[in-house]
Amino acid sequence: MKTYNITLLKGDGIGPEIVDQAVKVLNTAANKFGFAVHYTEALIGGAAIDATGEPLPQATVDSCLASDSVLLGAVGGYKWDGLTGKQRPEAGLLGIRAALGLFANLRPAKIYGPLKSACPLRPDIIGDSMDIMVVRELTGGIYFGERGRKTVDGVEAAYDTEYYSKPEITRIAKVAFETAMKRGGKLHSIDKANVLESSRLWRETVNEMAASYPQVEVNHLYIDNAAMQLVRDPKQFDVLVTSNIFGDILSDEASQIAGSIGMLASASLGEGSLGLYEPIHGSAPDIAGRNIANPLATILSVAMMLRYSLDELEAADAIEKAVETVLENGLRTADIYTEGTQKIGTDAMGDAVAAAL
Ligand code: NAD
């Protein structure tokens, strides 16, 4: 039987509670679809600081590198708020992404039918559903380019540089094309090619690669238009591929359209199949340990892991379908509760998804 080695980074706050539910669902999927999972737990964030003095111990990096995939809860909390820079829990998160060479961030923004009322857009704009995937370049561009401050003729100035090499664009575009192939076959590449030279190279590269993916329909949009189209008619989008800074903004915009922070998963991918999967929300210290956190974003992160790292597509589909079924049956954690539905706890939500599976 195929066995996958998964490193669990439960982290802080609600991290352990929500990861436990995701493991419950992954074990159910393993039984149903005929594979086995071997788990190794490793420390990150505040929990790692308390145990070892640093947010990302080398043992954690080693465990992740030796795995088929990594599932992360969340890091951070009041206890460590006084720490600065590389001592902070969040430094563990940036560190593990860098150590694993994760350059592509996939963030789906999906509205589930039963949760449509959480969407801030008018029902006629959303229609039956919305299902968008933002593929954001994560380790290049203006956040990593040359920067500085200088004084020119007595005037203080500062600069940051948007820099992309062709291989950097090629590898993120490849992830986007492959993602589009696994979804609706439609790709929007976002740039500012009317103004920026780096965007012109971006657009040329995407166009060159399009020849190798004839099944994918490719469109180009300027970032300003994309931001507008996302609220005007989000249904037109399937996969969007963006630079680091444009994706930072668009993925947050898209997640707000989806409405509920407790529902949104994410994946960070590198050159190989190893990926890091995590909910987009934080450690929610305000509700930690009370069995009220929504575990669905983490459970949906497991579905992404099965699809993008482990190639267990049937199991991925089945978990997503089970989440939909549970919502259709009116079960809700407190954050997505509305009148007429049934409020249940973190544990019970994990049980319900496992049962639906
Ligand atoms: P947060 O996402 O943790 O919480 C924002 C709000 O959403 C809170 O009211 C919280 O209770 C609620 N919420 C979040 N996830 C939920 C869930 N699954 N179910 C129900 N409600 C949920 O963001 P924050 O409050 O800005 O940050 C809290 C801590 O998390 C900070 O230490 C921050 O640095 C850290 N953080 C970590 C990550 C990460 O690990 N990837 C991301 C963002 C923030």
Side-chain angles (χ1 to χ4, degrees):
M1 190 189 284
K2 219 177 208 175
T3 300
Y4 299 114
N5 291 307
I6 307 294
T7 295
L8 299 177
L9 306 176
K10 294 185 176 179
D12 310 314
I14 60 171
E17 307 165 51
I18 54 179
V19 169
D20 285 348
Q21 302 315 310
V23 165
K24 191 186 278 175
V25 172
L26 181 54
N27 285 338
T28 308
N31 282 335
K32 184 174 161 82
F33 293 96
F35 57 87
V37 187
H38 177 257
Y39 300 100
T40 308
E41 278 191 42
L43 293 167
I44 194 166
I49 294 171
D50 286 353
T52 71
E54 48 183 332
L56 183 65
Q58 186 59 39
T60 296
V61 175
D62 293 344
S63 174
C64 292
L65 284 170
S67 310
D68 294 304
S69 210
V70 181
L71 180 65
L72 173 85
V75 300
Y78 311 131
K79 183 175 177 190
W80 306 282
D81 275 350
L83 299 171
T84 52
K86 289 196 165 120
Q87 303 303 313
R88 287 188 63 81
E90 292 80 1
L93 208 55
L94 298 179
I96 194 66
R97 287 178 187 148
L100 303 184
L102 306 174
F103 62 84
N105 187 224
L106 272 63
R107 275 191 32 186
K110 179 169 172 163
I111 298 179
Y112 293 87
L115 298 184
K116 257 201 258 179
S117 60
C119 172
L121 299 181
R122 286 199 319 264
D124 61 302
I125 295 177
I126 289 303
D128 290 336
S129 64
M130 182 192 86
D131 187 356
I132 294 172
M133 179 73 81
V134 179
V135 178
R136 168 189 171 194
E137 202 287 327
L138 204 55
T139 55
I142 198 164
Y143 295 169
F144 294 90
E146 196 190 323
R147 70 190 58 202
R149 283 180 175 240
K150 56 184 174 183
T151 303
V152 182
D153 297 334
V155 178
E156 199 179 355
Y159 62 97
D160 304 274
T161 316
E162 174 82 340
Y163 178 96
Y164 270 112
S165 70
K166 193 153 179 136
E168 283 178 302
I169 303 170
T170 302
R171 66 182 188 176
I172 187 70
K174 182 166 184 283
V175 172
F177 276 106
E178 305 278 342
T179 304
M181 298 270 287
K182 288 183 177 176
R183 291 174 43 102
K186 200 168 164 191
L187 177 64
H188 280 85
S189 175
I190 312 303
D191 62 38
K192 190 71 183 169
N194 49 343
V195 178
L196 301 176
E197 202 53 46
S198 54
S199 278
R200 286 193 269 275
L201 180 63
W202 182 280
R203 191 175 281 219
E204 276 164 37
T205 308
V206 170
N207 275 336
E208 282 165 24
M209 293 182 71
S212 311
Y213 295 91
Q215 309 90 325
V216 177
E217 176 196 327
V218 181
N219 300 282
H220 299 276
L221 277 186
Y222 298 138
I223 175 64
D224 41 347
N225 190 18
M228 191 173 74
Q229 294 294 334
L230 206 48
V231 286
R232 196 188 69 82
D233 180 18
K235 293 193 299 294
Q236 68 183 293
F237 295 113
D238 176 17
V239 179
L240 291 94
V241 61
T242 73
S243 63
N244 202 343
I245 187 169
F246 293 163
D248 193 0
I249 298 162
L250 281 191
S251 60
D252 266 20
E253 186 187 352
S255 69
Q256 275 309 298
I257 297 172
S260 330
I261 196 172
M263 296 294 303
L264 296 172
S266 79
S268 299
L269 307 176
E271 295 283 3
S273 61
L274 175 61
L276 176 79
Y277 296 82
E278 58 181 312
I280 71 158
H281 59 72
S283 59
D286 52 334
I287 58 166
R290 291 165 53 196
N291 194 35
I292 58 173
N294 186 347
L296 292 178
T298 318
I299 290 171
L300 290 166
S301 299
V302 162
M304 290 189 83
M305 174 192 285
L306 289 163
R307 178 168 296 120
Y308 294 105
S309 279
L310 309 180
D311 216 26
E312 295 282 354
L313 304 186
E314 259 190 289
D317 287 345
I319 290 178
E320 286 167 358
K321 184 80 199 59
V323 168
E324 280 190 58
T325 303
V326 163
L327 295 174
E328 275 158 15
N329 291 343
L331 301 179
R332 305 278 191 276
T333 42
D335 57 311
I336 51 173
Y337 172 78
T338 47
E339 228 178 271
T341 60
Q342 186 188 344
K343 197 187 288 183
I344 60 173
T346 311
D347 259 352
M349 185 55 96
D351 288 341
V353 176
L357 188 61

